[in-house]
Amino acid sequence: ALQSLKELGVIMQKNLRFPLAAYKNQISGTVLVRFIVDETGKPYDYQVKKGIGYGCDEEALRVIKMATESVQW
């Protein structure tokens, strides 16, 4: 599982695109995304639990969905 988390971090770093609206408004912070992994290792039920807006929440969801589907849980 630790290897999966490392892979997840690498994939997210390579694919994250900082939203223009956030950049223009000097927004930074952490978006907290929750998801569940079922018995077969398939992630589902993605939710932003704490967002910061300006397109960051949507970008966090996009990247985490893409990344979690790329690693074996």
Side-chain angles (χ1 to χ4, degrees):
L2 182 57
Q3 187 61 32
S4 294
L5 291 175
K6 287 181 182 178
E7 290 175 42
L8 185 66
V10 169
I11 293 167
M12 290 176 61
Q13 279 185 325
K14 287 183 179 178
N15 292 282
L16 184 68
R17 292 185 226 128
F18 202 77
L20 184 58
Y23 177 77
K24 285 183 175 182
N25 289 283
Q26 299 179 357
I27 301 300
S28 64
T30 301
V31 177
L32 181 62
V33 177
R34 178 192 73 84
F35 63 95
I36 299 170
V37 179
D38 71 15
E39 309 83 36
T40 66
K42 183 173 172 63
Y44 69 101
D45 195 22
Y46 298 86
Q47 295 179 5
V48 172
K49 299 304 280 181
K50 180 184 174 214
I52 59 174
Y54 293 88
C56 295
D57 305 347
E58 294 82 2
E59 179 62 3
L61 276 175
R62 182 191 73 79
V63 172
I64 197 73
K65 284 179 181 180
M66 186 267 307
T68 56
E69 293 170 359
S70 301
V71 298
Q72 178 62 41
W73 296 96

